[in-house]
Amino acid sequence: MNLTVNGVDTTIESGPLTSLLDVLREELGITSAKAGCEQGGCGACTVLVNGASRRSCLTPVASIDGAAVTTVEGLGSPEHMSPVQQAFTHHYAAQCGFCTSGMMMAAQAYIEGGGSDDHEAIQEALGGHVCRCTGYVKIIDAVAAVARGESFDLSVTAAGTAMTNIGGMA
Amino acid sequence: MAVKTGRGFAAIEYPTGMNQNGDPSQAWIKVKPDGRIDVFAGTSDIGNGSKTIQSQIVAETIGVPYEWITYDNSNTDSSPVCTGTFASRATFVAGKAVEKAAENVRQKILEIAGKELEIDPSDLEIIDGEVIAKGAPQKKISVPDVAAAATWGYGELITGTGAQLKPYATIVEPETGKVDLPPHSAISYASCAAEVEVDDETGTVTVTRLWQCYDVGKAINPTLVEGQIEGGAVQGLGLGILENCYPYYPSVEHRGGQFGAYLVPGMVDLPQIDTLIIENPSSDGPYGAKGIGEMANNAQPPAIATAVFDAVGVWVTELPITPERVLRALQEKAAGGGAPKRDGKTVIFDSNLSVNTVGTGIAFGAAA
Ligand code: FES
Ligand code: FES
């Protein structure tokens, strides 16, 4: 079997019924997709398959032979983050980070599908993703900001309003 | 049969850090030859933001930009000892250790800068990465130049350590073992007001708004504090109406067998959350900070319970407040019972002092 993973043509050695999640994590060493529930219930394993968000834990790799798979690593690099990655950073939308890869992939699909900044629409689109830490507020704010086409100057995020109390740049 | 609205509130206090003896945190800081600063401490950042916050404390204490700080990933090999990330102690206890270490580094920088500038260190201060003579700002040397001088000129490493440890208690009555243990842990205060809708036919409780008010001593990073409060609000909502490992404990028969059986709040459960941060400084936390970690999910369950009472007139005294419990309480009330009870005891409830009675007069702030 073959997959195009983050733009790279890759031959897959795992058996046909191996989950895409296990292929990514165990065979290819791409660990951004998290093994949360492995039952389709939490969203932590979400990746894009041919541009659509998909639970990699419930996807036998044979069922997507030849497909293009995108993980967080394929969105951008630390030096060149995608708008979704920038927004999550700027809005402090991650705490422990376990849900974050899946949230960002779902957000990416939502934005690519022309999603609006309407909070209810975002809640609906990302509703299957569980986050234990953030209370969702800043995640929704981040996705809404991308939907509005906002841009973020991350060089001032660290020194911005969050740090004016202590330790920020003067 | 109707959907009824109710509001209620609850207030809590919460001690920060372990309330017994000991509970050490240690920190070590060194300055590299280019003036950039490495921090080693044992507090693991599990999403609480402690790397960010402790780096801010180091930057502020020494007087250098935040971007100059590298906080090493905490580990059991090279990090100094820290009891851990728990008990809401990462800022309050471990942050103090880091502050003390940073203060020692600051002194050492001033000492070497004093030699370079031929000025007494007590007449120098560090502002934005520059050591400046007080009252004579044209006399200055940058921290990178001081670090270079230490490395190449004086053959020294600018470094500092710090530790925070609650003193051990003194036994004052050997016969009884009674100790004299003043409460060292800063006490934080918080309150939450909840607005709910209760369907008295299905028993379903929906939390529509949570107003959250937290005294954190000092919000070292207000956005991170807000994130902890929002996260705590939704956890508290879960504890209030959803989350349960053993729904019919002590029977374990209905324990959920899989992930989805444990109901964690999802995005659809998200109420409107309004957050107010109060800074009422502690005397012994870094910059007056207290802890926000754990208390953030304590006030919502009782606030929701009082709001349910306000809505439908029944006290559900077990959590979570499930539809079944609401319906049973309504049935009991209809049958003439329904006084609040817990473990066979009647809960004293003075309706003259109740939230229900006084709540109607309270303005809860402008609607969003
Ligand atoms: S791990 Fe795939 S949905 Fe939870
Ligand atoms: S940030 Fe921890 S689960 Fe979402």
Side-chain angles (χ1 to χ4, degrees), chain B residues 10-36:
Chain B
I12 59 162
E13 59 86 30
Y14 205 90
T16 308
M18 272 170 73
N19 213 7
Q20 299 97 18
N21 310 325
D23 194 17
S25 278
Q26 304 170 336
W28 174 50
I29 299 173
K30 70 179 172 70
V31 182
K32 291 190 281 200
D34 65 354
R36 299 309 192 254

Side-chain angles (χ1 to χ4, degrees), chain B residues 141-160:
Chain B
I141 179 171
S142 72
V143 170
D145 286 345
V146 174
T151 308
W152 314 113
Y154 299 95
E156 288 198 40
L157 169 63
I158 300 176
T159 180

Side-chain angles (χ1 to χ4, degrees), chain A residues 93-100 103 130-134 139:
Chain A
Q95 287 185 28
C96 80
F98 200 84
C99 71
T100 311
M103 287 282 187
V130 174
C131 176
R132 183 77 275 193
C133 306
T134 63
I139 294 173

